[in-house]
Amino acid sequence: MSAQPATSAPSGLSTPPSPPSPSAPSTSSASRGVRGRTGAGLWRAAGLRLLAITVIVAVWQAVAMAKIWPPVFVPEPAAVWRQFVRTATEGYSGYPLAEHLLASLRRILIGCLYGIAGGISLGLLIGMLPSARALLGPLVTFVRTLPPLAYLSLLVIWFGIDEEPKIWLLLLASLPPVAVATAEAVRGVHEDYLNAARSLGAPRWALPWRVVLPSALPEIITGVRVAVGVAYTTVVAAETVNGVPGIGGLVRDAQRYNQTDVVILGIVVIGLSGLLIDFLLQSLDRVLVPWRGRT
């Protein structure tokens, strides 16, 4: 038997063309749209911040011009600006403004680095070991609830009036927030992660550094941001004793002589530098924890 030929459509008929499918937007156009929306959002946020600053300065100027309080209480923004130019060029208490700021940033950096390292280590112990939690947990909470001025005098007695008491004060201020955030994050690590690491042959000593710490990293970075903010609120107290050069020492000296414009200048410099450092920490968060906020 011969093979049957394959059935084909009659020569006069043609297969109807399939309906065109709706074309999906290209990846490049979609990414351009996302970038455009992101850029517009950034410009909008920058405009809102600029508007808020303008409103604050306008209200400040109006209150100063109303003469409700004397200039020693509420100086005009122009007076603070003139003090900024004078302090930046001629200096205050023998040091220019940049040197005051760098001295404070150096103290904050050293104190926070020690505090963050100690806080992460304590947090890992408290979060992973119940005995360490019972022993160290109340101590961390006790230190966290103390105001900095409560133990500044004791630190001065122990370490003198040089740099040591300032560094220790900033260390003690920044350590508890990191320790608490790390401990809570470690306790929240899912047990399946640890079991999977053990089944793959990970040694017990490597679990905190290879599994627990990376899983807890988002909450740890949040604790670091809180710790840096607490250190900034503590810097004025840390520099009340032999704090020149330093922004806190500058503010303290200006307060003694009722130089309100210098006090406000110091507050603004501390706030702006704090915003810059927090922005850098947020950028570090996006680099180290790119999965935050994604499902």
Side-chain angles (χ1 to χ4, degrees):
M1 297 179 61
S2 61
Q4 295 291 333
T7 305
S8 60
S11 59
L13 299 176
S14 60
T15 304
S18 58
S21 59
S23 59
S26 63
T27 305
S28 60
S29 61
S31 61
R32 283 196 300 270
V34 171
R35 285 196 298 268
R37 290 192 296 270
T38 304
L42 291 176
W43 280 108
R44 182 173 179 272
L48 290 175
R49 293 190 181 101
L50 181 61
L51 177 62
I53 294 173
T54 304
V55 170
I56 292 173
V57 174
V59 172
W60 177 8
Q61 178 67 33
V63 172
M65 292 178 63
K67 304 297 182 181
I68 302 174
W69 296 281
V72 70
F73 289 163
V74 183
E76 293 186 3
V80 177
W81 173 256
R82 288 192 297 269
Q83 192 59 248
F84 165 74
V85 175
R86 185 180 302 114
T87 307
T89 55
E90 302 175 7
Y92 186 88
S93 295
Y95 299 93
L97 181 62
E99 192 166 348
H100 284 290
L101 178 60
L102 289 177
S104 294
L105 290 178
R106 174 184 170 277
R107 290 161 183 155
I108 292 173
L109 177 62
I110 296 175
C112 285
L113 285 179
Y114 285 135
I116 290 169
I120 292 176
S121 302
L122 280 178
L124 286 173
L125 289 175
I126 294 172
M128 298 187 66
L129 301 176
S131 57
R133 187 180 313 134
L135 179 64
L136 300 175
L139 178 61
V140 172
T141 303
F142 176 79
V143 176
R144 183 168 60 91
T145 56
L146 286 176
L149 289 176
Y151 44 86
L152 175 60
S153 301
L154 183 61
L155 294 175
V156 170
I157 293 173
W158 285 350
F159 301 106
I161 61 173
D162 293 329
E163 291 296 302
E164 287 82 359
K166 304 176 185 62
I167 300 301
W168 273 101
L169 184 66
L170 294 170
L171 184 156
L172 293 174
S174 59
L175 184 147
V178 179
V180 172
T182 303
E184 293 300 320
V186 167
R187 294 180 63 185
V189 175
H190 204 282
E191 189 67 23
D192 291 345
Y193 296 163
L194 300 175
N195 293 333
R198 293 190 189 98
S199 65
L200 292 174
R204 184 180 181 87
W205 60 266
L207 293 179
W209 313 110
R210 301 292 297 274
V211 179
V212 176
L213 193 59
S215 300
L217 192 58
E219 288 77 12
I220 293 175
I221 294 180
T222 301
V224 169
R225 290 179 59 191
V226 174
V228 172
V230 173
Y232 257 80
T233 61
T234 310
V235 69
V236 175
E239 294 176 346
T240 53
V241 179
N242 195 22
V244 176
I247 289 294
L250 179 145
V251 171
R252 185 69 174 178
D253 284 356
Q255 177 264 328
R256 291 173 180 170
Y257 300 105
N258 289 333
Q259 293 180 301
T260 312
D261 49 358
V262 180
V263 173
I264 294 177
L265 173 63
I267 293 172
V268 171
V269 170
I270 292 173
L272 291 179
S273 58
L275 286 175
L276 176 60
I277 290 183
D278 189 69
F279 171 76
L280 295 177
L281 289 175
Q282 291 184 49
S283 302
L284 181 65
D285 185 15
R286 288 191 290 269
V287 172
L288 296 180
V289 193
W291 62 87
R292 184 196 287 270
R294 300 181 183 179
T295 56

